Amino acid sequence: MNPTQQRIEEIKKNGYQLNFSNVFNHAFENYKKIALYAGLIILIFYFILGVLGSGVLISIFGIESFTKESLENLQHVKLSGQSLVIYMASMLLLAVIFAPFTAGFLKMADCADKDEEFNVSTIFYYYRLPYLTNIIVATLLISIINASISVILDTLNLSFIGTVISLLVSLFTYLTIPLIIFGNFNAVEAIKTSFMVVSKQPLMLIGLLIVSVLGVMVGFIGCCIGVIFTIPFIYSMTYAIYSSIIGLDKIEEIKEYNSGPKTFL
């Protein structure tokens, strides 16, 4: 049983306490260390993605499809049949491809917290085994569940309920990726453990997540592009929450102790 699993067993039995201000301060201090670097990476990434995405759409549908009237009509289109399948498959593919990329921001937050050097390659740290497989499987499972719920309830004209349920699924699986990359859990174990951990303090976690979203929205003040540089606060908050619940520093100490030289009298 690794240190993270030991901590999880403690949480199962005794739960855990979160101090709102301590977690927020930890997240904010971490964010200040990664904001500029992570923001520039996100800006470049969105620019490249926008150019490539626009090029693909124009090559498929033609430039005339991007008139104001066409875009307004597109908002009222309901997908069905083959179009719905293609749309869902595309969304799942994007989620799977970019999940390890977003996990890289958590690695960046971890490096910043420990005053370790990080660079562009840090973002691609989890595009390797065994992390890659587990991140892809976990993302695929969660995305399929969310997409299926949304589609089924949307066809029943219960889209609002579908949105609420999807948000709850996202909340209870919130710690899945951190458990994979920091706790060495496999995909299924990480999802089940995330459900258990979040269920112990859902209201506190909702409050922290709302604050992180509001922090990102601050980027719209003055200049909308500023939101690019406030998005990293979400990753810093995720890191701070995981660190506060599981205790990364404590786990590192246990690892170092267990791997260090032993003296027997």
Side-chain angles (χ1 to χ4, degrees):
M1 183 180 294
N2 67 36
T4 303
Q5 290 172 327
Q6 293 175 24
R7 173 60 181 153
I8 294 302
E9 289 302 316
E10 292 178 10
I11 292 173
K12 283 182 181 178
K13 295 176 183 177
N14 307 315
Y16 59 90
Q17 296 296 322
L18 278 179
N19 184 293
F20 191 98
S21 61
N22 287 347
V23 175
F24 177 83
N25 289 336
H26 184 186
F28 187 67
E29 290 301 316
N30 183 270
Y31 163 72
K32 289 192 293 184
K33 295 178 181 179
I34 71 170
L36 181 60
Y37 205 92
L40 289 172
I41 291 175
I42 293 173
L43 180 62
I44 295 170
F45 169 74
Y46 280 171
F47 176 77
I48 294 174
L49 186 64
V51 171
L52 292 176
S54 299
V56 171
L57 290 175
I58 290 173
S59 64
I60 295 174
F61 299 106
I63 190 66
E64 64 276 2
S65 299
F66 290 84
T67 62
K68 182 178 179 182
E69 293 77 11
S70 299
L71 292 175
E72 288 176 351
N73 293 333
L74 188 61
Q75 295 176 355
H76 304 289
V77 172
K78 276 198 170 183
L79 298 176
S80 60
Q82 185 178 3
S83 299
L84 180 60
V85 172
I86 293 174
Y87 172 77
M88 290 183 63
S90 300
M91 292 300 100
L92 289 174
L93 181 61
L94 285 174
V96 165
I97 290 174
F98 294 118
F101 180 84
T102 56
F105 287 105
L106 294 177
K107 176 63 177 177
M108 185 179 292
D110 185 48
C111 290
D113 202 54
K114 297 172 182 175
D115 293 323
E116 297 176 356
E117 184 180 356
F118 56 86
N119 48 46
V120 175
S121 64
T122 304
I123 294 297
F124 303 99
Y125 185 84
Y126 296 112
Y127 282 95
R128 60 177 185 169
L129 299 175
Y131 303 109
L132 181 61
T133 303
N134 286 312
I135 290 172
I136 287 176
V137 172
T139 303
L140 192 60
L141 289 173
I142 295 169
S143 298
I144 289 173
I145 292 171
N146 267 331
S148 300
I149 291 171
S150 298
V151 170
I152 292 171
L153 291 178
D154 189 50
T155 57
L156 298 173
N157 293 321
L158 297 172
S159 56
F160 176 75
I161 295 176
T163 300
V164 172
I165 294 176
S166 293
L167 287 173
L168 287 174
V169 171
S170 298
L171 171 67
F172 283 93
T173 57
Y174 175 67
L175 295 175
T176 299
I177 300 302
L179 284 165
I180 290 172
I181 63 179
F182 296 131
N184 296 316
F185 280 58
N186 65 41
V188 176
E189 287 177 338
I191 292 172
K192 290 165 58 179
T193 302
S194 180
F195 263 88
M196 184 277 294
V197 173
V198 173
S199 66
K200 298 290 185 179
Q201 291 273 13
L203 295 180
M204 176 66 78
L205 291 174
I206 289 173
L208 288 166
L209 292 178
I210 290 174
V211 168
S212 67
V213 171
L214 291 176
V216 171
M217 297 304 292
V218 170
F220 281 111
I221 298 176
C223 182
C224 290
I225 199 173
V227 73
I228 297 294
F229 293 92
T230 52
I231 286 175
F233 184 64
I234 290 179
Y235 300 108
S236 291
M237 180 62 77
T238 301
Y239 178 82
I241 289 172
Y242 182 86
S243 178
S244 297
I245 295 173
I246 307 301
L248 283 169
D249 292 338
K250 189 176 182 180
I251 288 172
E252 289 297 328
E253 290 174 6
I254 294 173
K255 286 180 180 178
E256 289 176 7
Y257 174 79
N258 289 338
S259 61
K262 304 293 187 297
T263 302
F264 299 95
L265 298 176

